[in-house]
Amino acid sequence: MLRTTFAVVERRAEHAVTFFYSHLFWNNPAMRELFPADMQPQRDRLFAALTHVVTHLESPGLAAYLGQLGRDHRKFLASPALYAAVGSSLLAAFAHAAGAAWTLQAEKAWTEAYGHVADLMLAGAEEAAGAGEPAWWDADVVRHERYGEDLAVLTLRPRQPFPFLPGQYVSVSSLRVPRVWRTYSLADAPRPDGTVELHVSRIPGGAMSTALVDETGPGETLRLSAPGGGLTARTEPGGLRTYISAGTGWAPVKALLSEAAEAEPELKGRLFMVARAKEHLYGRRDAERLKKRLSGLSVTYITSAPGHRKDQATERLLQALRACVHWPSHDVYLAGPPGFLTEVAEALVELGTDPYRIHHDTLQPVGPFTARPSTAAERLLGPPPPLWHNPGARVPREP
């Protein structure tokens, strides 16, 4: 019943989400201040989370995912009252979008399902609070390094101990962009001085990435969410492994290699660093330092040829991977843009890599959810097809 109803709502996703937030803010005007001024990313994130829940109803990992989601939503100051209001507006939006498919049985199923989801999220939030975990960590910017026009490396010092595992990511918020949180990977293993490093690439039109690259400087304070993500070390000592990074995907790969340099300096493996042009290989100096500490690590740098399209770098990477051997014996750690992850992971499987040994954070799929107007008014408005993909809406990879 849940999947059947959702399939109908999905076809009118843009209208359903617009109705949801209109209903929520109309009936709870004080809650508007909890949300950012630009609601488009928030709308994408909502539908991405709904899609994940509906498509993983029988998954044993769903409860853990919802608990983590509730833990993470503490940074939004989500209260039981907010959960109740969201549930009421979500059911109203689904009834609006589903039309004749919204029966008494469908309403009962969704009411029970949302209640269960809210209970699991609240339990996750309560567990985190009971363990003494703050809703967020304040972190002071101690260094800001620019690499070209569109990339910066920020070194932060959290004011409280900040536990994380190499390869994990955090959501970041700045007073320059109120109530907005964006996800960035941590680029090192825990350091003795307690600092952490973020690699930020400017996204065209991205308010947060622009603020962090262009405007943020030493002395400012950022907020960090609880760490999350599944791109952590899983290989037994002595196991062979391959690391592949593209762009700022170098951040989590650097963290994993830094951890290995401390715990397993005899590691044997290979690293492929991919960038759209030679000048974008900003991590090359750190990679060379790590290579000196990991004598069994081979490093290959791959870029597009001068004057060629930037995706030529991916083609060159695939050629290099095909020239390598022993793929069934390697664990592969992969980080980069969503399309890059998909293409490279598929090629690795074709080369003989066990799919369960290809490790990367799972991002919500890039899916052309097409809004199909069903009324004269909707056809007149003719909204553009929404792109239900949010690079920050990562979810744990299924074990």
Side-chain angles (χ1 to χ4, degrees):
M1 179 64 71
L2 295 175
R3 289 199 175 107
T4 300
T5 312
F6 190 72
V8 178
V9 173
E10 196 175 66
R11 293 196 292 268
R12 301 181 62 210
E14 178 77 8
H15 301 289
V17 178
T18 299
F19 187 98
F20 165 76
Y21 282 111
S22 298
H23 188 279
L24 180 65
F25 297 149
W26 177 266
N27 290 282
N28 307 275
M31 290 184 179
R32 181 62 182 91
E33 65 183 20
L34 299 177
F35 293 81
D38 180 8
M39 288 296 297
Q40 184 62 48
Q42 183 66 31
R43 291 159 63 183
D44 289 357
R45 189 176 293 111
L46 168 69
F47 211 87
L50 287 171
T51 302
H52 180 78
V53 170
V54 172
T55 55
H56 291 78
L57 290 172
E58 287 87 17
S59 170
L62 182 59
Y65 165 73
L66 292 171
Q68 176 64 32
L69 198 61
R71 171 197 183 205
D72 188 62
H73 271 60
R74 294 176 65 221
K75 69 176 183 276
F76 298 118
L77 303 178
S79 64
L82 177 60
Y83 280 92
V86 164
S88 176
S89 295
L90 188 65
L91 292 176
F94 274 31
H96 163 76
W102 190 254
T103 62
L104 289 175
Q105 292 83 357
E107 182 172 0
K108 181 177 183 293
W110 275 102
T111 300
E112 292 177 355
Y114 180 79
H116 185 55
V117 167
D119 287 345
L120 288 171
M121 291 181 65
L122 284 167
E126 291 170 3
E127 182 180 353
E133 182 179 291
W136 62 73
W137 282 257
D138 288 324
D140 299 316
V141 180
V142 297
R143 188 178 303 111
H144 184 284
E145 302 171 274
R146 289 288 292 268
Y147 292 85
E149 292 296 319
D150 296 323
L151 193 142
V153 173
L154 284 73
T155 303
L156 314 177
R157 179 174 286 112
R159 296 177 184 175
Q160 297 175 256
F162 186 67
F164 69 94
L165 297 174
Q168 288 191 307
Y169 57 78
V170 295
S171 292
V172 180
S173 181
S174 168
L175 291 177
R176 294 181 179 273
V177 193
R179 302 182 298 281
V180 172
W181 292 82
R182 292 292 179 267
T183 304
Y184 299 97
S185 293
L186 297 165
D188 220 324
R191 297 169 169 175
D193 64 359
T195 60
V196 296
E197 187 177 281
L198 303 178
H199 295 185
V200 182
S201 179
R202 187 206 315 274
I203 297 173
M208 177 63 76
S209 61
T210 298
L212 293 177
V213 171
D214 283 347
E215 304 164 12
T216 303
E220 293 192 42
T221 300
L222 302 177
R223 289 176 173 176
L224 306 180
S225 74
L231 186 61
T232 53
R234 307 183 191 186
T235 309
E236 294 294 327
L240 299 174
R241 67 209 77 169
T242 295
Y243 301 88
I244 303 173
S245 72
T248 52
W250 167 240
V253 169
K254 177 190 173 188
L256 292 169
L257 288 170
S258 297
E259 178 186 40
E262 291 292 334
E264 194 182 354
E266 69 281 3
L267 174 151
K268 295 185 182 301
R270 46 207 184 199
L271 165 65
F272 295 89
M273 287 187 67
V274 184
R276 58 188 178 185
K278 185 176 180 179
E279 57 270 22
H280 291 275
L281 283 173
Y282 71 97
R284 185 164 186 160
R285 181 176 58 184
D286 287 329
E288 290 296 326
R289 290 172 179 168
L290 286 165
K291 183 180 178 182
K292 290 179 180 179
R293 299 173 63 190
L294 295 162
S295 58
L297 181 73
S298 67
V299 181
T300 304
Y301 304 103
I302 296 176
T303 66
S304 298
H308 287 65
R309 64 188 191 282
K310 62 182 182 181
D311 61 354
Q312 187 196 46
T314 304
E315 296 175 2
R316 287 184 159 188
L317 169 68
L318 297 179
Q319 292 174 358
L321 298 182
R322 293 185 186 105
C324 296
V325 295
H326 305 308
W327 285 112
S329 304
H330 276 245
D331 280 296
V332 181
Y333 295 87
L334 181 61
F340 175 85
L341 294 184
T342 300
E343 185 174 359
V344 175
E346 290 176 354
L348 288 168
V349 172
E350 292 175 0
L351 290 170
T353 310
D354 184 342
Y356 290 98
R357 299 183 71 174
I358 302 174
H359 310 301
H360 58 80
D361 275 320
T362 303
L363 289 90
Q364 299 293 350
V366 181
F369 284 73
T370 303
R372 295 179 177 84
S374 61
T375 68
E378 291 172 6
R379 284 192 292 271
L380 180 63
L381 291 173
L387 178 63
W388 296 113
H389 168 67
N390 167 33
R394 309 189 205 191
V395 296
R397 186 170 185 263
E398 292 294 331

